[in-house]
């Protein structure tokens, strides 16, 4: 009987270690290792859920598309280590100033998405402006100062994820063309 209890204890310990390992693997599969933000896969899962909520309950849903101004020049001039450090520090600054319901995800090299459930475009634009200011005032290790351009879009009923994202991307493009370090709102989607 004692041998069976020891075997059972070892089995329980092995099971607990396996559960911890699986949780760690799941976290790695859903998180950007450099910034700690959600990765694209995790963001896209959340977008599907939030868009379903929009359809069912008519809750507003907005997103911010953020890019670091001059990031490619930093990578070219100071190297990828400096760029990586800026990405990690910028993600920390942005995350510290988000609301509890918002989610930060790394979208591409120097782009981040903030998913803002239960948020209208006008409220999201206020948040975007606050984030832009916080970043502009922050001190970063590799470059001392950095700025971001932000496109803001609210999801419209009947719109696909791609259409919604493209409107935010077009707003971001306008912010960059208009001189960077600013927030631009997307026009509403054409009604269907």
């Amino acid at each position: 009987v004692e041998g069976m209890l020891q075997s059972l204890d070892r089995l329980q310990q092995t099971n607990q270690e396996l559960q911890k390992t699986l949780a760690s693997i799941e976290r790695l599969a859903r998180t950007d290792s450099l910034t700690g933000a959600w990765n694209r896969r995790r963001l896209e899962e959340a977008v599907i859920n939030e868009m379903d909520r929009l359809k069912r309950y008519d809750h507003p849903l907005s997103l911010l598309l953020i890019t670091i101004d001059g990031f490619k020049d930093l990578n070219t001039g100071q190297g990828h280590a400096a760029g990586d450090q800026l990405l990690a520090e910028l993600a920390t600054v942005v995350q510290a100033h988000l609301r509890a319901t918002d989610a930060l995800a790394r979208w591409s090299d120097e782009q981040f998405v903030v998913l803002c459930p239960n948020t209208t475009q006008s409220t999201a634009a206020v948040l975007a402006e606050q984030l832009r200011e916080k970043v502009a005032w922050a001190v970063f290790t590799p470059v001392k100062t950095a700025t971001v351009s932000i496109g803001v879009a609210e999801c419209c009923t009947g719109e696909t994820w791609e259409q919604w994202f493209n409107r935010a991307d077009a707003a971001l493009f306008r912010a960059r063309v208009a001189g960077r370090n600013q927030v631009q709102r997307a026009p509403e989607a054409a009604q269907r």
Side-chain angles (χ1 to χ4, degrees), residues 5-187:
L5 291 175
Q6 288 175 343
S7 292
L8 185 58
D9 284 343
R10 280 195 306 268
L11 184 59
Q12 287 176 331
Q13 184 178 3
T14 301
N15 188 32
Q16 288 173 346
E17 290 171 6
L18 181 59
Q19 292 299 321
K20 287 180 184 176
T21 301
L22 288 173
S24 178
I25 289 170
E26 178 66 19
R27 192 171 33 260
L28 289 172
R30 300 163 66 84
T31 307
D32 177 61
S33 61
L34 177 65
T35 64
W38 287 357
N39 64 18
R40 263 176 105 141
R41 178 177 157 209
R42 175 66 181 102
L43 173 68
E44 289 174 345
E45 291 170 359
V47 164
I48 290 168
N49 291 334
E50 292 300 333
M51 289 181 79
D52 284 346
R53 187 172 296 153
L54 167 68
K55 287 177 195 170
R56 270 187 303 213
Y57 306 114
D58 200 29
H59 290 177
L61 176 62
S62 294
L63 71 81
L64 315 179
L65 182 56
I66 303 170
T67 193
I68 302 172
D69 298 327
F71 184 78
K72 287 181 177 39
D73 293 338
L74 170 68
N75 262 351
T76 301
Q78 295 187 34
H80 290 284
D84 286 353
Q85 186 161 6
L86 177 60
L87 286 166
E89 291 179 14
L90 184 120
T92 299
V93 169
V94 171
Q95 188 69 55
H97 295 93
L98 293 180
R99 303 164 306 173
T101 56
D102 300 329
L104 177 67
R106 184 165 176 205
W107 184 253
S108 64
D109 291 344
E110 75 274 10
Q111 287 189 332
F112 293 88
V113 170
V114 176
L115 185 62
C116 304
N118 296 319
T119 307
T120 63
Q121 180 167 285
S122 59
T123 301
V126 170
L127 173 63
E129 183 58 32
Q130 291 169 349
L131 292 174
R132 187 199 63 74
E133 289 176 4
K134 295 292 184 187
V135 169
W137 283 97
V139 176
F140 299 98
T141 304
V143 292
K144 303 295 180 234
T145 62
T147 61
V148 292
S149 297
I150 305 175
V152 181
E154 182 175 347
C155 188
C156 297
T157 304
E159 190 171 32
T160 67
W161 160 234
E162 292 79 16
Q163 291 166 329
W164 178 31
F165 181 86
N166 287 339
R167 287 190 311 105
D169 193 38
L172 173 62
F173 180 77
R174 282 196 318 279
R176 295 181 79 192
V177 167
R180 301 181 179 186
N181 190 27
Q182 60 182 273
V183 173
Q184 289 283 330
R185 296 180 190 199

